[in-house]
């Protein structure tokens, strides 16, 4: 039985998710909520394998990548000690950096989006978020931040055209899910404090 709230942050690489998640968590804790922060890919063995694929830009089949993220997500939910379902059951607010929307946008560009959506959305072991916040930043700004902040770009961070494609895919997916999921797009090109305020209005 789920008691806590489940909030997911999505956005392109370099959209400022990690910074905003910390700001939002700080504010919710100040208001007395117990907040558990987590992220995908996770630190599980499957998550580590995924991180190797990303860091070394290995050209793995997109269906395989979709299935790996799915397996990682199921373990992320069902871990009896430290899983999403357990934290929600304990009444905590769970904030997750990326979730199935990323699978749809990233793996959906090179495999079968319907297959990915069906696998993730019809799985009873994968909790449905109460809210998804999409931080929308111009892909060129994201790419400039990645080039400035990272020593080496990861699999999906090399190519601005690909980042544009992924952003379009996110919006396509949000349109498909508009009657089923609670998704809010926040213009995150604004100054950081303004973005945080805008997110908190929705949270
Ligand atoms: P990211 O949030 O950028 O983590 P970090 O800041 O630690 O690098 O996520 C890593 C990458 O994983 C990102 O490029 C998107 C990708 N990804 C997918 O392709 N599919 C998924 O289902 C998820 C959760 C992430």
């Amino acid at each position: 039985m789920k008691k806590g709230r489940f909030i997911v942050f999505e956005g392109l690489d370099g959209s400022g998710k990690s910074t905003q998640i910390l700001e939002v968590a700080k504010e919710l804790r100040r208001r007395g909520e117990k907040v558990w922060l987590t992220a995908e890919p996770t630190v599980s063995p499957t998550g580590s394998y995924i991180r190797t694929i990303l860091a070394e830009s290995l050209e793995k089949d997109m269906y395989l990548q979709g299935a790996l993220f799915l397996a990682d997500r199921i373990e992320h939910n069902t871990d009896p000690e430290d899983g999403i379902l357990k934290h929600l059951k304990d009444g905590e607010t769970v904030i997750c950096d990326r979730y199935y929307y990323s699978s749809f946008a990233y793996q959906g560009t090179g495999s079968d989006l319907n297959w990915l959506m069906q696998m993730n959305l019809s799985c009873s072991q994968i909790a449905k978020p109460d809210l998804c916040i999409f931080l929308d930043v111009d892909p060129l700004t994201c790419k400039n931040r990645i080039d400035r902040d990272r020593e080496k770009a990861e699999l999906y961070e090399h190519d601005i055209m690909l980042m544009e494609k992924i952003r379009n895919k996110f919006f396509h997916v949000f349109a498909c899910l508009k009657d089923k999921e609670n998704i809010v797009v926040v213009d995150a090109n604004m100054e950081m404090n303004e973005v945080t305020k805008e997110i908190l209005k929705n949270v």
Side-chain angles (χ1 to χ4, degrees), residues 86-117:
K86 160 84 167 68
H87 285 275
L88 290 173
K89 185 164 165 266
D90 290 348
E92 294 170 31
T93 297
V94 173
I95 301 185
C96 187
D97 185 340
R98 294 195 186 279
Y99 203 54
Y100 48 53
Y101 315 93
S102 278
S103 289
F104 305 156
Y106 286 75
Q107 283 67 56
T109 47
S111 70
D112 179 348
L113 179 60
N114 288 333
W115 176 74
L116 283 169
M117 290 181 83

PDB file of all heavy atoms in Angstrom, residues 86-117:
ATOM      1  N   LYS A  86       9.051   0.217  -1.246  1.00  0.00           N
ATOM      2  CA  LYS A  86       9.228   0.178   0.212  1.00  0.00           C
ATOM      3  C   LYS A  86       9.193   1.604   0.791  1.00  0.00           C
ATOM      4  O   LYS A  86       8.508   1.868   1.783  1.00  0.00           O
ATOM      5  CB  LYS A  86      10.573  -0.512   0.511  1.00  0.00           C
ATOM      6  CG  LYS A  86      11.181  -0.253   1.868  1.00  0.00           C
ATOM      7  CD  LYS A  86      10.589  -1.188   2.919  1.00  0.00           C
ATOM      8  CE  LYS A  86      11.346  -1.205   4.223  1.00  0.00           C
ATOM      9  NZ  LYS A  86      11.307   0.007   5.016  1.00  0.00           N
ATOM     10  N   HIS A  87       9.918   2.525   0.159  1.00  0.00           N
ATOM     11  CA  HIS A  87       9.958   3.905   0.665  1.00  0.00           C
ATOM     12  C   HIS A  87       8.581   4.578   0.578  1.00  0.00           C
ATOM     13  O   HIS A  87       8.189   5.327   1.469  1.00  0.00           O
ATOM     14  CB  HIS A  87      11.017   4.716  -0.074  1.00  0.00           C
ATOM     15  CG  HIS A  87      12.416   4.376   0.346  1.00  0.00           C
ATOM     16  ND1 HIS A  87      13.031   4.950   1.439  1.00  0.00           N
ATOM     17  CD2 HIS A  87      13.297   3.470  -0.143  1.00  0.00           C
ATOM     18  CE1 HIS A  87      14.247   4.438   1.586  1.00  0.00           C
ATOM     19  NE2 HIS A  87      14.436   3.534   0.637  1.00  0.00           N
ATOM     20  N   LEU A  88       7.845   4.267  -0.505  1.00  0.00           N
ATOM     21  CA  LEU A  88       6.501   4.847  -0.649  1.00  0.00           C
ATOM     22  C   LEU A  88       5.566   4.279   0.416  1.00  0.00           C
ATOM     23  O   LEU A  88       4.751   4.993   0.999  1.00  0.00           O
ATOM     24  CB  LEU A  88       5.940   4.581  -2.048  1.00  0.00           C
ATOM     25  CG  LEU A  88       6.608   5.338  -3.203  1.00  0.00           C
ATOM     26  CD1 LEU A  88       6.062   4.852  -4.544  1.00  0.00           C
ATOM     27  CD2 LEU A  88       6.397   6.849  -3.058  1.00  0.00           C
ATOM     28  N   LYS A  89       5.718   2.994   0.658  1.00  0.00           N
ATOM     29  CA  LYS A  89       4.878   2.332   1.667  1.00  0.00           C
ATOM     30  C   LYS A  89       5.137   2.932   3.048  1.00  0.00           C
ATOM     31  O   LYS A  89       4.235   3.068   3.865  1.00  0.00           O
ATOM     32  CB  LYS A  89       5.208   0.832   1.660  1.00  0.00           C
ATOM     33  CG  LYS A  89       4.356  -0.006   2.555  1.00  0.00           C
ATOM     34  CD  LYS A  89       4.499  -1.485   2.187  1.00  0.00           C
ATOM     35  CE  LYS A  89       3.964  -2.361   3.278  1.00  0.00           C
ATOM     36  NZ  LYS A  89       5.015  -2.801   4.211  1.00  0.00           N
ATOM     37  N   ASP A  90       6.405   3.320   3.293  1.00  0.00           N
ATOM     38  CA  ASP A  90       6.765   3.933   4.576  1.00  0.00           C
ATOM     39  C   ASP A  90       6.325   5.395   4.672  1.00  0.00           C
ATOM     40  O   ASP A  90       6.651   6.092   5.635  1.00  0.00           O
ATOM     41  CB  ASP A  90       8.283   3.853   4.784  1.00  0.00           C
ATOM     42  CG  ASP A  90       8.740   2.411   5.036  1.00  0.00           C
ATOM     43  OD1 ASP A  90       7.867   1.553   5.269  1.00  0.00           O
ATOM     44  OD2 ASP A  90       9.961   2.157   4.978  1.00  0.00           O
ATOM     45  N   GLY A  91       5.668   5.878   3.631  1.00  0.00           N
ATOM     46  CA  GLY A  91       5.127   7.242   3.682  1.00  0.00           C
ATOM     47  C   GLY A  91       6.116   8.325   3.293  1.00  0.00           C
ATOM     48  O   GLY A  91       5.873   9.508   3.552  1.00  0.00           O
ATOM     49  N   GLU A  92       7.244   7.933   2.682  1.00  0.00           N
ATOM     50  CA  GLU A  92       8.224   8.952   2.302  1.00  0.00           C
ATOM     51  C   GLU A  92       7.898   9.557   0.937  1.00  0.00           C
ATOM     52  O   GLU A  92       7.251   8.915   0.107  1.00  0.00           O
ATOM     53  CB  GLU A  92       9.626   8.323   2.254  1.00  0.00           C
ATOM     54  CG  GLU A  92      10.100   7.867   3.623  1.00  0.00           C
ATOM     55  CD  GLU A  92      11.363   7.024   3.544  1.00  0.00           C
ATOM     56  OE1 GLU A  92      12.183   7.229   2.630  1.00  0.00           O
ATOM     57  OE2 GLU A  92      11.515   6.132   4.406  1.00  0.00           O
ATOM     58  N   THR A  93       8.380  10.786   0.728  1.00  0.00           N
ATOM     59  CA  THR A  93       8.306  11.385  -0.602  1.00  0.00           C
ATOM     60  C   THR A  93       9.528  10.891  -1.365  1.00  0.00           C
ATOM     61  O   THR A  93      10.663  11.114  -0.955  1.00  0.00           O
ATOM     62  CB  THR A  93       8.346  12.929  -0.506  1.00  0.00           C
ATOM     63  OG1 THR A  93       7.192  13.354   0.219  1.00  0.00           O
ATOM     64  CG2 THR A  93       8.353  13.566  -1.881  1.00  0.00           C
ATOM     65  N   VAL A  94       9.285  10.190  -2.461  1.00  0.00           N
ATOM     66  CA  VAL A  94      10.385   9.665  -3.265  1.00  0.00           C
ATOM     67  C   VAL A  94      10.606  10.587  -4.452  1.00  0.00           C
ATOM     68  O   VAL A  94       9.670  10.872  -5.212  1.00  0.00           O
ATOM     69  CB  VAL A  94      10.070   8.227  -3.742  1.00  0.00           C
ATOM     70  CG1 VAL A  94      11.129   7.735  -4.729  1.00  0.00           C
ATOM     71  CG2 VAL A  94       9.966   7.271  -2.551  1.00  0.00           C
ATOM     72  N   ILE A  95      11.846  11.066  -4.607  1.00  0.00           N
ATOM     73  CA  ILE A  95      12.188  11.892  -5.774  1.00  0.00           C
ATOM     74  C   ILE A  95      13.222  11.132  -6.597  1.00  0.00           C
ATOM     75  O   ILE A  95      14.305  10.797  -6.108  1.00  0.00           O
ATOM     76  CB  ILE A  95      12.743  13.270  -5.381  1.00  0.00           C
ATOM     77  CG1 ILE A  95      11.717  14.027  -4.531  1.00  0.00           C
ATOM     78  CG2 ILE A  95      13.114  14.067  -6.625  1.00  0.00           C
ATOM     79  CD1 ILE A  95      12.115  15.458  -4.194  1.00  0.00           C
ATOM     80  N   CYS A  96      12.871  10.844  -7.841  1.00  0.00           N
ATOM     81  CA  CYS A  96      13.745  10.036  -8.691  1.00  0.00           C
ATOM     82  C   CYS A  96      14.249  10.853  -9.888  1.00  0.00           C
ATOM     83  O   CYS A  96      13.456  11.474 -10.597  1.00  0.00           O
ATOM     84  CB  CYS A  96      12.972   8.800  -9.157  1.00  0.00           C
ATOM     85  SG  CYS A  96      13.993   7.624 -10.039  1.00  0.00           S
ATOM     86  N   ASP A  97      15.569  10.814 -10.074  1.00  0.00           N
ATOM     87  CA  ASP A  97      16.220  11.480 -11.204  1.00  0.00           C
ATOM     88  C   ASP A  97      16.160  10.519 -12.395  1.00  0.00           C
ATOM     89  O   ASP A  97      16.915   9.571 -12.442  1.00  0.00           O
ATOM     90  CB  ASP A  97      17.671  11.790 -10.784  1.00  0.00           C
ATOM     91  CG  ASP A  97      18.434  12.600 -11.813  1.00  0.00           C
ATOM     92  OD1 ASP A  97      18.023  12.628 -12.990  1.00  0.00           O
ATOM     93  OD2 ASP A  97      19.468  13.185 -11.441  1.00  0.00           O
ATOM     94  N   ARG A  98      15.243  10.750 -13.284  1.00  0.00           N
ATOM     95  CA  ARG A  98      14.935   9.929 -14.468  1.00  0.00           C
ATOM     96  C   ARG A  98      14.132   8.678 -14.107  1.00  0.00           C
ATOM     97  O   ARG A  98      14.324   8.072 -13.056  1.00  0.00           O
ATOM     98  CB  ARG A  98      16.190   9.483 -15.223  1.00  0.00           C
ATOM     99  CG  ARG A  98      16.951  10.633 -15.849  1.00  0.00           C
ATOM    100  CD  ARG A  98      17.950  10.096 -16.871  1.00  0.00           C
ATOM    101  NE  ARG A  98      18.795  11.148 -17.405  1.00  0.00           N
ATOM    102  CZ  ARG A  98      18.412  11.975 -18.372  1.00  0.00           C
ATOM    103  NH1 ARG A  98      17.227  11.840 -18.911  1.00  0.00           N
ATOM    104  NH2 ARG A  98      19.207  12.924 -18.793  1.00  0.00           N
ATOM    105  N   TYR A  99      13.276   8.284 -15.094  1.00  0.00           N
ATOM    106  CA  TYR A  99      12.434   7.086 -14.911  1.00  0.00           C
ATOM    107  C   TYR A  99      12.021   6.593 -16.284  1.00  0.00           C
ATOM    108  O   TYR A  99      12.740   6.849 -17.266  1.00  0.00           O
ATOM    109  CB  TYR A  99      11.227   7.472 -14.046  1.00  0.00           C
ATOM    110  CG  TYR A  99      10.554   6.344 -13.314  1.00  0.00           C
ATOM    111  CD1 TYR A  99      11.272   5.482 -12.485  1.00  0.00           C
ATOM    112  CD2 TYR A  99       9.175   6.132 -13.437  1.00  0.00           C
ATOM    113  CE1 TYR A  99      10.628   4.460 -11.794  1.00  0.00           C
ATOM    114  CE2 TYR A  99       8.527   5.120 -12.739  1.00  0.00           C
ATOM    115  CZ  TYR A  99       9.263   4.279 -11.921  1.00  0.00           C
ATOM    116  OH  TYR A  99       8.626   3.277 -11.230  1.00  0.00           O
ATOM    117  N   TYR A 100      10.832   5.975 -16.400  1.00  0.00           N
ATOM    118  CA  TYR A 100      10.527   5.344 -17.695  1.00  0.00           C
ATOM    119  C   TYR A 100      10.380   6.330 -18.855  1.00  0.00           C
ATOM    120  O   TYR A 100      10.559   5.949 -20.000  1.00  0.00           O
ATOM    121  CB  TYR A 100       9.353   4.383 -17.637  1.00  0.00           C
ATOM    122  CG  TYR A 100       8.050   4.760 -16.975  1.00  0.00           C
ATOM    123  CD1 TYR A 100       7.344   5.917 -17.309  1.00  0.00           C
ATOM    124  CD2 TYR A 100       7.476   3.880 -16.049  1.00  0.00           C
ATOM    125  CE1 TYR A 100       6.114   6.207 -16.721  1.00  0.00           C
ATOM    126  CE2 TYR A 100       6.247   4.160 -15.450  1.00  0.00           C
ATOM    127  CZ  TYR A 100       5.574   5.323 -15.785  1.00  0.00           C
ATOM    128  OH  TYR A 100       4.358   5.600 -15.205  1.00  0.00           O
ATOM    129  N   TYR A 101      10.084   7.606 -18.546  1.00  0.00           N
ATOM    130  CA  TYR A 101       9.979   8.589 -19.639  1.00  0.00           C
ATOM    131  C   TYR A 101      11.306   8.680 -20.397  1.00  0.00           C
ATOM    132  O   TYR A 101      11.330   8.902 -21.597  1.00  0.00           O
ATOM    133  CB  TYR A 101       9.588   9.969 -19.100  1.00  0.00           C
ATOM    134  CG  TYR A 101       8.457   9.926 -18.094  1.00  0.00           C
ATOM    135  CD1 TYR A 101       8.724   9.845 -16.719  1.00  0.00           C
ATOM    136  CD2 TYR A 101       7.128   9.925 -18.516  1.00  0.00           C
ATOM    137  CE1 TYR A 101       7.693   9.788 -15.794  1.00  0.00           C
ATOM    138  CE2 TYR A 101       6.098   9.872 -17.591  1.00  0.00           C
ATOM    139  CZ  TYR A 101       6.384   9.787 -16.225  1.00  0.00           C
ATOM    140  OH  TYR A 101       5.365   9.717 -15.301  1.00  0.00           O
ATOM    141  N   SER A 102      12.436   8.519 -19.651  1.00  0.00           N
ATOM    142  CA  SER A 102      13.752   8.540 -20.313  1.00  0.00           C
ATOM    143  C   SER A 102      13.900   7.345 -21.246  1.00  0.00           C
ATOM    144  O   SER A 102      14.437   7.482 -22.341  1.00  0.00           O
ATOM    145  CB  SER A 102      14.896   8.508 -19.290  1.00  0.00           C
ATOM    146  OG  SER A 102      15.142   9.786 -18.774  1.00  0.00           O
ATOM    147  N   SER A 103      13.433   6.175 -20.808  1.00  0.00           N
ATOM    148  CA  SER A 103      13.504   5.005 -21.705  1.00  0.00           C
ATOM    149  C   SER A 103      12.739   5.281 -22.992  1.00  0.00           C
ATOM    150  O   SER A 103      13.192   4.953 -24.084  1.00  0.00           O
ATOM    151  CB  SER A 103      12.903   3.764 -21.043  1.00  0.00           C
ATOM    152  OG  SER A 103      13.727   3.305 -20.006  1.00  0.00           O
ATOM    153  N   PHE A 104      11.557   5.911 -22.847  1.00  0.00           N
ATOM    154  CA  PHE A 104      10.729   6.170 -24.036  1.00  0.00           C
ATOM    155  C   PHE A 104      11.441   7.148 -24.974  1.00  0.00           C
ATOM    156  O   PHE A 104      11.455   6.966 -26.185  1.00  0.00           O
ATOM    157  CB  PHE A 104       9.353   6.729 -23.642  1.00  0.00           C
ATOM    158  CG  PHE A 104       8.586   5.871 -22.667  1.00  0.00           C
ATOM    159  CD1 PHE A 104       7.607   6.409 -21.841  1.00  0.00           C
ATOM    160  CD2 PHE A 104       8.848   4.508 -22.573  1.00  0.00           C
ATOM    161  CE1 PHE A 104       6.896   5.617 -20.939  1.00  0.00           C
ATOM    162  CE2 PHE A 104       8.157   3.705 -21.673  1.00  0.00           C
ATOM    163  CZ  PHE A 104       7.176   4.267 -20.856  1.00  0.00           C
ATOM    164  N   ALA A 105      12.037   8.204 -24.386  1.00  0.00           N
ATOM    165  CA  ALA A 105      12.651   9.237 -25.221  1.00  0.00           C
ATOM    166  C   ALA A 105      13.994   8.795 -25.797  1.00  0.00           C
ATOM    167  O   ALA A 105      14.275   9.034 -26.965  1.00  0.00           O
ATOM    168  CB  ALA A 105      12.824  10.515 -24.408  1.00  0.00           C
ATOM    169  N   TYR A 106      14.820   8.133 -24.979  1.00  0.00           N
ATOM    170  CA  TYR A 106      16.171   7.779 -25.426  1.00  0.00           C
ATOM    171  C   TYR A 106      16.167   6.481 -26.229  1.00  0.00           C
ATOM    172  O   TYR A 106      16.654   6.445 -27.349  1.00  0.00           O
ATOM    173  CB  TYR A 106      17.131   7.658 -24.235  1.00  0.00           C
ATOM    174  CG  TYR A 106      17.541   8.994 -23.632  1.00  0.00           C
ATOM    175  CD1 TYR A 106      16.671   9.736 -22.827  1.00  0.00           C
ATOM    176  CD2 TYR A 106      18.809   9.514 -23.860  1.00  0.00           C
ATOM    177  CE1 TYR A 106      17.054  10.951 -22.272  1.00  0.00           C
ATOM    178  CE2 TYR A 106      19.207  10.735 -23.309  1.00  0.00           C
ATOM    179  CZ  TYR A 106      18.321  11.440 -22.521  1.00  0.00           C
ATOM    180  OH  TYR A 106      18.696  12.662 -21.971  1.00  0.00           O
ATOM    181  N   GLN A 107      15.633   5.396 -25.651  1.00  0.00           N
ATOM    182  CA  GLN A 107      15.626   4.134 -26.384  1.00  0.00           C
ATOM    183  C   GLN A 107      14.522   4.126 -27.445  1.00  0.00           C
ATOM    184  O   GLN A 107      14.619   3.433 -28.452  1.00  0.00           O
ATOM    185  CB  GLN A 107      15.453   2.932 -25.432  1.00  0.00           C
ATOM    186  CG  GLN A 107      16.726   2.562 -24.672  1.00  0.00           C
ATOM    187  CD  GLN A 107      17.142   3.631 -23.671  1.00  0.00           C
ATOM    188  OE1 GLN A 107      16.381   4.012 -22.807  1.00  0.00           O
ATOM    189  NE2 GLN A 107      18.375   4.114 -23.780  1.00  0.00           N
ATOM    190  N   GLY A 108      13.505   4.939 -27.219  1.00  0.00           N
ATOM    191  CA  GLY A 108      12.401   5.020 -28.182  1.00  0.00           C
ATOM    192  C   GLY A 108      12.828   5.609 -29.518  1.00  0.00           C
ATOM    193  O   GLY A 108      12.137   5.447 -30.514  1.00  0.00           O
ATOM    194  N   THR A 109      13.975   6.291 -29.556  1.00  0.00           N
ATOM    195  CA  THR A 109      14.451   6.842 -30.829  1.00  0.00           C
ATOM    196  C   THR A 109      15.085   5.771 -31.711  1.00  0.00           C
ATOM    197  O   THR A 109      15.243   5.977 -32.901  1.00  0.00           O
ATOM    198  CB  THR A 109      15.478   7.987 -30.625  1.00  0.00           C
ATOM    199  OG1 THR A 109      16.427   7.557 -29.671  1.00  0.00           O
ATOM    200  CG2 THR A 109      14.840   9.255 -30.150  1.00  0.00           C
ATOM    201  N   GLY A 110      15.432   4.609 -31.127  1.00  0.00           N
ATOM    202  CA  GLY A 110      16.101   3.600 -31.960  1.00  0.00           C
ATOM    203  C   GLY A 110      15.494   2.219 -31.876  1.00  0.00           C
ATOM    204  O   GLY A 110      16.030   1.263 -32.441  1.00  0.00           O
ATOM    205  N   SER A 111      14.367   2.099 -31.136  1.00  0.00           N
ATOM    206  CA  SER A 111      13.702   0.789 -31.097  1.00  0.00           C
ATOM    207  C   SER A 111      12.202   1.022 -31.264  1.00  0.00           C
ATOM    208  O   SER A 111      11.803   1.986 -31.908  1.00  0.00           O
ATOM    209  CB  SER A 111      14.034   0.054 -29.789  1.00  0.00           C
ATOM    210  OG  SER A 111      13.406   0.678 -28.700  1.00  0.00           O
ATOM    211  N   ASP A 112      11.394   0.176 -30.685  1.00  0.00           N
ATOM    212  CA  ASP A 112       9.952   0.271 -30.872  1.00  0.00           C
ATOM    213  C   ASP A 112       9.322   0.930 -29.633  1.00  0.00           C
ATOM    214  O   ASP A 112       9.268   0.323 -28.562  1.00  0.00           O
ATOM    215  CB  ASP A 112       9.426  -1.167 -31.086  1.00  0.00           C
ATOM    216  CG  ASP A 112       7.930  -1.212 -31.276  1.00  0.00           C
ATOM    217  OD1 ASP A 112       7.257  -0.195 -31.028  1.00  0.00           O
ATOM    218  OD2 ASP A 112       7.432  -2.276 -31.668  1.00  0.00           O
ATOM    219  N   LEU A 113       8.863   2.159 -29.803  1.00  0.00           N
ATOM    220  CA  LEU A 113       8.315   2.916 -28.671  1.00  0.00           C
ATOM    221  C   LEU A 113       7.114   2.200 -28.042  1.00  0.00           C
ATOM    222  O   LEU A 113       6.978   2.163 -26.822  1.00  0.00           O
ATOM    223  CB  LEU A 113       7.928   4.328 -29.123  1.00  0.00           C
ATOM    224  CG  LEU A 113       7.319   5.236 -28.060  1.00  0.00           C
ATOM    225  CD1 LEU A 113       8.268   5.459 -26.892  1.00  0.00           C
ATOM    226  CD2 LEU A 113       6.907   6.577 -28.664  1.00  0.00           C
ATOM    227  N   ASN A 114       6.252   1.604 -28.873  1.00  0.00           N
ATOM    228  CA  ASN A 114       5.066   0.930 -28.318  1.00  0.00           C
ATOM    229  C   ASN A 114       5.460  -0.234 -27.423  1.00  0.00           C
ATOM    230  O   ASN A 114       4.883  -0.458 -26.363  1.00  0.00           O
ATOM    231  CB  ASN A 114       4.163   0.406 -29.442  1.00  0.00           C
ATOM    232  CG  ASN A 114       3.467   1.545 -30.132  1.00  0.00           C
ATOM    233  OD1 ASN A 114       3.240   2.586 -29.531  1.00  0.00           O
ATOM    234  ND2 ASN A 114       3.165   1.354 -31.413  1.00  0.00           N
ATOM    235  N   TRP A 115       6.471  -0.962 -27.873  1.00  0.00           N
ATOM    236  CA  TRP A 115       6.976  -2.101 -27.086  1.00  0.00           C
ATOM    237  C   TRP A 115       7.509  -1.613 -25.744  1.00  0.00           C
ATOM    238  O   TRP A 115       7.171  -2.148 -24.692  1.00  0.00           O
ATOM    239  CB  TRP A 115       8.074  -2.811 -27.889  1.00  0.00           C
ATOM    240  CG  TRP A 115       8.758  -3.929 -27.188  1.00  0.00           C
ATOM    241  CD1 TRP A 115       8.266  -5.173 -26.940  1.00  0.00           C
ATOM    242  CD2 TRP A 115      10.091  -3.917 -26.641  1.00  0.00           C
ATOM    243  NE1 TRP A 115       9.200  -5.931 -26.271  1.00  0.00           N
ATOM    244  CE2 TRP A 115      10.321  -5.179 -26.082  1.00  0.00           C
ATOM    245  CE3 TRP A 115      11.110  -2.960 -26.570  1.00  0.00           C
ATOM    246  CZ2 TRP A 115      11.534  -5.528 -25.457  1.00  0.00           C
ATOM    247  CZ3 TRP A 115      12.310  -3.294 -25.954  1.00  0.00           C
ATOM    248  CH2 TRP A 115      12.520  -4.555 -25.411  1.00  0.00           C
ATOM    249  N   LEU A 116       8.307  -0.548 -25.791  1.00  0.00           N
ATOM    250  CA  LEU A 116       8.882   0.001 -24.549  1.00  0.00           C
ATOM    251  C   LEU A 116       7.789   0.479 -23.606  1.00  0.00           C
ATOM    252  O   LEU A 116       7.833   0.232 -22.399  1.00  0.00           O
ATOM    253  CB  LEU A 116       9.779   1.201 -24.877  1.00  0.00           C
ATOM    254  CG  LEU A 116      11.159   0.915 -25.434  1.00  0.00           C
ATOM    255  CD1 LEU A 116      11.787   2.202 -25.949  1.00  0.00           C
ATOM    256  CD2 LEU A 116      12.044   0.300 -24.367  1.00  0.00           C
ATOM    257  N   MET A 117       6.793   1.164 -24.170  1.00  0.00           N
ATOM    258  CA  MET A 117       5.733   1.720 -23.329  1.00  0.00           C
ATOM    259  C   MET A 117       4.924   0.601 -22.692  1.00  0.00           C
ATOM    260  O   MET A 117       4.613   0.639 -21.508  1.00  0.00           O
ATOM    261  CB  MET A 117       4.844   2.673 -24.134  1.00  0.00           C
ATOM    262  CG  MET A 117       5.595   3.950 -24.475  1.00  0.00           C
ATOM    263  SD  MET A 117       4.650   5.165 -25.408  1.00  0.00           S
ATOM    264  CE  MET A 117       3.742   5.987 -24.159  1.00  0.00           C
TER     265      MET A 117
END
